[in-house]
Amino acid sequence: MENYILNRYDKDENGNLIIKIHTKKIEDLYEDYDQKSSFIKKDLKEKLEEYLFESVDEIENAPFILQFHFEDSISIDSSKRLQSSINEYFSYLQFLEKKSMKESLKNSIIFFIIGFFLVALSFMLSEEENLAIKIISEGVMIGGWVALWEALAIVLVNWLPLNKNLKKKKKIANSKVEIF
C-alpha cells in the first residue's frame, strides 16, 4: 500500500518526492483578506494549507520538495519571497502548536495535582466512622480518580496528535521550494 501512495508522486533527480502546486499567479496562494500585506506576512489559503498537510501526512517520512507552477511569470524576488513566506508561515504555525502543547501540559499537571490531593483527602476521610463522611469520602475518591484520568488523557489523547502536527509543520517550514 505504501508504495502505491508514494508512486502517485513524481520524484526529482535526488529521489525526493515532489508535491506540486499549480496556480495562475502567486497571489492565488494567499488569503484575500490581507492583500495589502507583504507575501512574507500573509496567511496561505486554507485549502493550500490542508493540501500540504494531507500530502506530508500521506508520504510520512519520505523526503520531499514543494514545487510551485505558475501560469504567469514571477520575478526572482517573488520567488525568494515565496520561500520565505512558506517558511515564516509554517514556523508561525509551529509556534501556535507549541503554545497549545504547553497549555495542554499545564492543564494536565493541574488535573494531576487536584486528583492527587482529592485521593489523599479521600484516604484521610475514610478513617472516620461517620456514615455521611464515608459517603463524602467515596465521592471525593471518585472525583480524584476522574481528575487523574483527565490528566492522563490530556497527555495520551491530546498531546500525541499535537506533536504529530508540530512535526508536519516543521517539515513543511524546512522544505525546499522550487518555482516554475
Side-chain angles (χ1 to χ4, degrees):
M1 180 71 176
E2 184 178 320
N3 284 337
Y4 170 74
I5 291 172
L6 297 181
N7 286 337
R8 295 180 61 216
Y9 292 88
D10 292 336
K11 293 182 180 178
D12 68 2
E13 63 277 354
N14 297 324
N16 297 317
L17 299 179
I18 301 172
I19 299 174
K20 293 183 179 181
I21 298 100
H22 294 269
T23 188
K24 183 171 173 62
K25 55 189 178 197
I26 196 167
E27 291 82 10
D28 293 340
L29 302 175
Y30 300 97
E31 291 290 356
D32 295 331
Y33 61 82
D34 60 357
Q35 288 181 344
K36 300 292 182 186
S37 299
S38 68
F39 287 137
I40 295 174
K41 295 180 182 177
K42 286 187 172 187
D43 288 345
L44 294 177
K45 286 202 172 176
E46 190 174 330
K47 293 279 187 191
L48 175 59
E49 186 181 324
E50 288 173 14
Y51 174 73
L52 292 174
F53 282 147
E54 289 171 6
S55 296
V56 170
D57 192 40
E58 189 175 70
I59 63 177
E60 295 176 344
N61 293 325
F64 68 93
I65 60 171
L66 301 177
Q67 200 173 77
F68 291 88
H69 296 264
F70 299 105
E71 291 176 21
D72 296 350
S73 62
I74 63 168
S75 68
I76 294 173
D77 184 49
S78 292
S79 175
K80 289 178 184 176
R81 286 188 298 169
L82 177 60
Q83 172 72 51
S84 294
S85 174
I86 298 289
N87 179 272
E88 292 291 324
Y89 182 71
F90 284 98
S91 293
Y92 172 69
L93 292 180
Q94 284 179 69
F95 166 77
L96 294 177
E97 200 75 35
K98 286 178 184 177
K99 186 177 175 183
S100 180
M101 291 172 77
K102 284 179 186 176
E103 188 67 26
S104 289
L105 187 58
K106 182 177 109 182
N107 289 340
S108 181
I109 291 169
I110 290 169
F111 276 115
F112 180 78
I113 291 169
I114 291 170
F116 183 77
F117 173 75
L118 290 176
V119 169
L121 179 63
S122 173
F123 279 122
M124 288 189 294
L125 290 175
S126 69
E127 299 296 320
E128 296 292 323
E129 296 295 323
N130 187 336
L131 180 62
I133 293 178
K134 283 189 178 253
I135 291 172
I136 291 171
S137 170
E138 290 298 319
V140 171
M141 176 66 83
I142 291 169
W145 281 113
V146 168
L148 289 171
W149 175 255
E150 185 63 24
L152 187 61
I154 286 172
V155 172
L156 294 178
V157 175
N158 297 347
W159 182 272
L160 295 176
L162 290 174
N163 194 38
K164 184 178 180 182
N165 285 339
L166 180 66
K167 288 179 182 178
K168 281 192 269 187
K169 290 170 184 172
K170 187 175 184 176
K171 281 182 182 180
I172 296 170
N174 296 330
S175 66
K176 180 180 175 187
V177 174
E178 293 180 350
I179 298 177
F180 293 92

